[in-house]
Amino acid sequence: MTEPQPLVPGTVGDHTSCLLVKLGQVMFRLAEEELPGLRVRHYSILQALADNGPTPQLALGAYLRIDPATMVSSLDDLENAGHAARVRDPGDRRRYLVEITESGRTVLAGANERLGELDDQAFAELSSTDRKSLHRILSKLASGATLPAAFDAIRDQPASRKLPSSQRASA
């Protein structure tokens, strides 16, 4: 029997960022497999609505860092499935709020259960203490000042600024 090959082989794994990128890709694929009928972004939207209540569409997209076009198509998907609804804002009839439906709450409960099982499976090699430490460290990175600001700065650049400098002149 052969030894399992690491997800990040050789010295590529010497870079924590490379480890996180590959592990993120793997966890994304596994999470999408665990969420039949939902994408990870659909789950994020439903969970945000369950956590925060009815929210304006633009504010929800900003909160989750989902671009407006993707947010519209994701909400269309959720609305067509009966998991979310756009309703007029009683405080400003020109604006719509997005709210989770009972169907959405049911789907969300199942998704949370399956994601909990995925966590148990994916992190089975870690002790309970290590799992808590990993979660604490990742939460600190996700909510700190550095990574969110760096991501927002890159995300908000025009597409041509994202090209390598050798390709920008011809773009």
Side-chain angles (χ1 to χ4, degrees), residues 19-120:
L19 288 171
L20 282 171
V21 165
K22 184 51 119 179
L23 292 172
Q25 291 169 341
V26 168
M27 291 306 299
F28 179 82
R29 293 281 306 271
L30 293 173
E32 294 244 321
E33 285 295 312
E34 288 298 315
L35 300 171
L38 290 180
R39 305 288 311 266
V40 169
R41 69 176 175 261
H42 297 135
Y43 165 79
S44 299
I45 291 167
L46 292 175
Q47 190 62 62
L49 292 171
D51 290 344
N52 302 316
T55 307
Q57 185 170 313
L58 282 175
L60 184 60
Y63 175 73
L64 293 171
R65 289 182 167 88
I66 297 175
D67 69 84
T70 302
M71 179 57 89
V72 167
S73 68
S74 297
L75 290 176
D76 287 347
D77 295 342
L78 289 170
E79 204 167 33
N80 289 335
H83 303 324
R86 293 176 179 108
V87 297
R88 290 274 185 198
D89 182 346
D92 182 350
R93 301 288 300 155
R94 297 168 294 174
R95 180 169 77 166
Y96 283 92
L97 298 175
V98 181
E99 62 184 16
I100 190 170
T101 63
E102 280 307 310
S103 170
R105 289 185 191 285
T106 300
V107 165
L108 182 61
N112 279 318
E113 185 175 318
R114 287 188 297 281
L115 289 174
E117 292 166 0
L118 175 60
D119 284 353
D120 290 342

